[in-house]
Amino acid sequence: MSFFPIWIAEALFTALFIVAGHPISTKKGFVFKMIACALFFANGMYAFSMSGKTEYGITVLVGLAAGWIGDVFLALDPFIRGKQSKKLSTTIFLFGGAFFLIGHFAYITAFARLLFIRHAFRVLPFVAAWIGICAVMALAIRLSKIPCGKLAVPIAVYAVFLGCMFALAVCAALLLYSGQTVMSCILIGAAALFVLSDVTLAIKSADRERFGSLRLRIVCLAAYFLAQMLFGVSIMLQ
């Protein structure tokens, strides 16, 4: 067995989910999404089976599992649409965001443990990367002119954790794997794709009328599932 069949299947079911969920979410789309989630978790488990069974690998698997649970909440719309209220929709979105936050915290823990155990953490590159990515996220939100409203504080808190995860991934890539191009690209690529996905999701969720296009949906979901696959593969390479 190799990663190839899992990646091909992931690409297929991600594409099916993207199409089935536009312009309105469907129960068929929910099934496709759950299969795609099962595949990125299977990808991580397969990588873990070929690794040294490290704490990094276990922690990343926790992050993948949390992402899967978060995806369940964000795909419930076709089951509650007839009963849906704005308050219920917001609650479900926050629950999904909470599990994604747990996933980010798991990735933060994985990267931080690698850096501190090997005494490789450096404040300057971390702060530079964190400020840089937070500025990019804030600029994207500002330029889109989305009405954050009551979600402004949760979005800001989420962005802080997301920025921290990205900054630690960059530090790990530059300070631990500077001579390993593949691993460095996987870590930075996965973290950057996660940021892209979360920012586009926040924009789309806040203003579906302007940003509910198929094109933005493709960017958001392709970036998300590719990020999870790359995080899974990193288990084997670290």
Side-chain angles (χ1 to χ4, degrees), residues 208-225:
R208 292 182 182 275
E209 186 174 339
R210 284 192 298 147
F211 300 106
S213 68
L214 179 60
R215 183 177 300 177
L216 193 65
R217 178 176 173 83
I218 291 171
V219 171
C220 176
L221 295 173
Y224 171 70
F225 283 105

Side-chain angles (χ1 to χ4, degrees), residues 156-171:
V157 172
Y158 190 87
V160 167
F161 277 88
L162 184 60
C164 183
M165 184 271 291
F166 176 83
L168 286 171
V170 170
C171 286

